[in-house]
């Protein structure tokens, strides 16, 4: 597939899965061999159930979950996405109890596609900034 086709698939991930919380498009867009690696932030997630679990957790924690796509760069079978994630923490986020606070933080993911489906995802989350907004980590004084 071309880099433009791969970028279109990644845009669909945002529009049809992550920003809706709907799971019915996952089998169309993700490979059964899918692996998500956000270590050390989160454990490895594998397969279609792994991605479904990630989406469910996002929407359970942040019922108003939204990812605003800022930038897509593609080369070969890899697409890199930079986006802003927003939501109000109404559920547990890892060990953190609900705070009711709204957060806005940046993420960057590298997605590898094979035959029009995502097989790998490696992400980096600005969790420190999110934790500061939740009041868990103090903001340094200027």
């Amino acid at each position: 597939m071309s880099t433009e086709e791969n970028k279109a698939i990644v845009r669909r991930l945002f529009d049809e899965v992550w920003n809706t919380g709907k799971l019915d498009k996952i089998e169309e867009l993700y490979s059964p061999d899918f692996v998500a690696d956000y270590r050390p932030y989160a454990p490895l997630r594998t397969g279609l159930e792994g991605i479904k679990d990630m989406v469910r957790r996002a929407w359970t924690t942040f019922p108003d979950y939204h990812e605003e796509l800022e930038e897509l760069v593609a080369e070969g079978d890899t697409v890199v996405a930079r986006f802003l994630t927003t939501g109000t923490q109404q559920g547990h986020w890892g060990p953190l109890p609900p705070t009711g606070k709204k957060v806005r933080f940046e993420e960057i993911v590298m997605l590898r596609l094979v035959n029009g489906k995502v097989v790998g995802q490696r992400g980096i989350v600005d969790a420190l900034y999110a934790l500061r907004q939740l009041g868990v980590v103090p903001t340094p004084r200027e």
Side-chain angles (χ1 to χ4, degrees), residues 4-5 7 17-18 34 38 40 44 49 54 64-65 73 82 90 96 99 102 113 124 132-134:
E4 289 306 312
E5 290 170 317
K7 285 167 64 173
V17 176
W18 288 100
F34 173 77
Y38 281 79
L44 282 175
E49 284 306 313
M54 289 171 66
D64 56 347
Y65 189 85
V73 178
R82 184 178 63 81
Q90 299 294 336
L96 301 177
T99 64
K102 189 155 183 90
L113 293 94
I124 298 171
R132 285 181 174 156
Q133 293 171 65
L134 296 175

Side-chain angles (χ1 to χ4, degrees), residues 97-116:
T99 64
K101 294 181 179 179
K102 189 155 183 90
V103 294
R104 181 177 184 260
F105 54 93
E106 189 170 31
E107 295 188 50
I108 298 173
V109 295
M110 294 178 62
L111 302 123
R112 193 168 69 80
L113 293 94
V114 174
N115 298 323

Side-chain angles (χ1 to χ4, degrees), residues 10 14 67-73 79-85 104-111 124:
V10 171
F14 285 89
E67 294 180 344
E68 182 71 31
L69 186 59
E70 296 284 315
E71 191 172 4
L72 280 181
V73 178
V79 178
V80 177
R82 184 178 63 81
F83 54 97
L84 296 174
T85 299
R104 181 177 184 260
F105 54 93
E106 189 170 31
E107 295 188 50
I108 298 173
V109 295
M110 294 178 62
L111 302 123
I124 298 171

